[in-house]
Amino acid sequence: MSSESPVSIQIPPELAGQRLDQALAQILPEYSRSRLKGWIEAGRVMLDGRLPRPRDAVSGGEAVELRPLLEPVHHDRPQAIELDVRYEDAAIVVLNKPAGLVVHPAAGNPEGTLLNALLHRAPELAALPRAGIVHRLDKQTSGLMVVAKTPAAHRHLVAALAEHAVGREYLALVQGELIAGGTVDAPIGRHPRDRKRMAVVLGGKHAVSHYRVEERFVGHTLLRVHLETGRTHQIRVHMAHIRHAIVGDPAYGGRLRLPPAAGEALTAQLRGFGRQALHAARLTLEHPVSGEVMSWAADIPDDMHALLDAFRAHRQARSDD
């Protein structure tokens, strides 16, 4: 275990009346309330120059000095899983996740995840929540992710995501022919009957997706989607909501739809494409240390490339008839 640099913050006025440990848990969401409570009890928190108790009520405006103690927050097994790293420095690592790789352990996927791979690559990430993972991609979605390597970078990225200051663009092949782009502004929450799925529901969390047409095919469209918010399955749910579900989506896509006069090649590609045709193609953020705006792009993977090529060949064949 080791200490990191002290954190100096001020209690916002709107948190007046709350317990100190409750207030700190809201200001510093990267640390659990139980962990913060332990640090207060261990004398690692000063409130206006004095040692407080976790239950002490705050008035708002107090100065807080916190000396975090880095220690493992989970005990997942490091595993030597190859990663496609696109950028790395002392604060962050940007990687291109392949389809099929689960981001972090959960029921049904206790090992073999991105988190296990990160712990093998950089064991010190064990001291960070979810090994520095600040956002996720679904198992069968490919593309770019950023991971924090220090507590300070973690705080910065969590805040940037909450403020919608991280740019994320996806390429999505959807059913149906769209002639123009648009915006889906529809709240997302748990499906009322199937708890494993999400849905557009009243009272759900605010969710906004912007899309524009990237390329048109017969009966299908390739979209470039920009996330304004980052809800679970957001693009998949929003596209299904406007009746343009993502091709191959097992949860929201419905039955397979073949375009008119689909030949053997395109039919085989569609039937053999075993995941949603969704790829996180571009990531833009402000570096947590330098403040520089940085951007990365990742080409679509081979399986999605082959599917798009089959659609292009089908479009050409139709135009030649």
Side-chain angles (χ1 to χ4, degrees), residues 10 36 46 76 84 114 116 122 184 186 194 220 223 229 232 261 299:
Q10 190 173 48
L36 289 162
M46 299 290 288
D76 296 290
D84 180 7
L114 173 62
N116 299 106
V184 185
D194 185 351
H220 293 74
L223 299 178
T229 55
T232 301
D299 291 337

Side-chain angles (χ1 to χ4, degrees), residues 73-265:
V73 294
H74 47 69
H75 302 281
D76 296 290
R77 185 166 69 94
Q79 291 178 285
I81 300 169
E82 184 177 355
L83 295 175
D84 180 7
V85 173
R86 297 303 178 91
Y87 175 83
E88 184 171 18
D89 60 23
I92 62 172
V93 56
V94 175
L95 55 93
N96 184 25
K97 187 189 85 68
L101 180 63
V102 176
V103 171
H104 50 73
N109 293 285
E111 293 188 327
T113 71
L114 173 62
L115 185 146
N116 299 106
L118 288 168
L119 291 176
H120 182 270
R121 180 183 180 87
E124 65 273 16
L125 293 180
L128 296 179
R130 291 191 172 180
I133 296 169
V134 293
H135 66 120
R136 63 185 291 270
L137 295 176
D138 297 330
K139 176 181 179 180
Q140 297 298 353
T141 297
S142 56
L144 293 168
M145 293 180 60
V146 61
V147 175
K149 294 180 65 177
T150 68
H154 190 275
R155 286 192 295 272
H156 178 97
L157 291 173
V158 168
L161 285 161
E163 295 166 3
H164 315 312
V166 177
R168 289 169 289 171
E169 285 188 357
Y170 293 71
L171 288 172
L173 180 64
V174 303
Q175 300 169 358
E177 297 183 16
L178 289 92
I179 59 173
T183 295
V184 185
D185 185 345
I188 291 177
R190 287 290 171 188
H191 194 284
R193 293 181 300 277
D194 185 351
R195 304 302 292 174
K196 294 182 179 180
R197 299 171 61 202
M198 308 300 288
V200 170
V201 294
L202 290 175
K205 293 182 178 179
H206 178 59
V208 180
S209 304
H210 306 282
Y211 64 90
R212 68 176 188 267
V213 174
E214 187 80 6
E215 190 172 358
R216 296 184 182 89
F217 305 109
V218 178
H220 293 74
T221 309
L222 181 65
L223 299 178
R224 187 171 291 273
V225 186
H226 171 72
L227 286 184
E228 185 172 316
T229 55
R231 308 306 176 198
T232 301
H233 298 177
Q234 179 172 317
I235 297 175
R236 299 166 65 188
V237 171
H238 273 172
M239 291 300 103
H241 179 66
I242 63 172
R243 302 185 186 280
H244 291 286
I246 295 175
V247 169
D249 192 329
Y252 308 100
R255 63 179 179 82
L256 175 65
R257 297 184 186 179
L258 295 174
E264 291 184 6

Side-chain angles (χ1 to χ4, degrees), residues 20-59:
L20 175 60
D21 56 352
Q22 290 178 322
L24 290 181
Q26 293 189 51
I27 302 169
L28 302 168
E30 65 271 28
Y31 302 125
S32 69
R33 180 178 167 185
S34 62
R35 196 177 220 200
L36 289 162
K37 181 180 178 182
W39 287 339
I40 296 170
E41 293 173 338
R44 304 189 71 82
V45 175
M46 299 290 288
L47 183 70
D48 276 347
R50 65 178 178 86
L51 290 173
R53 298 169 299 179
R55 67 175 183 269
D56 287 352
V58 297
S59 302

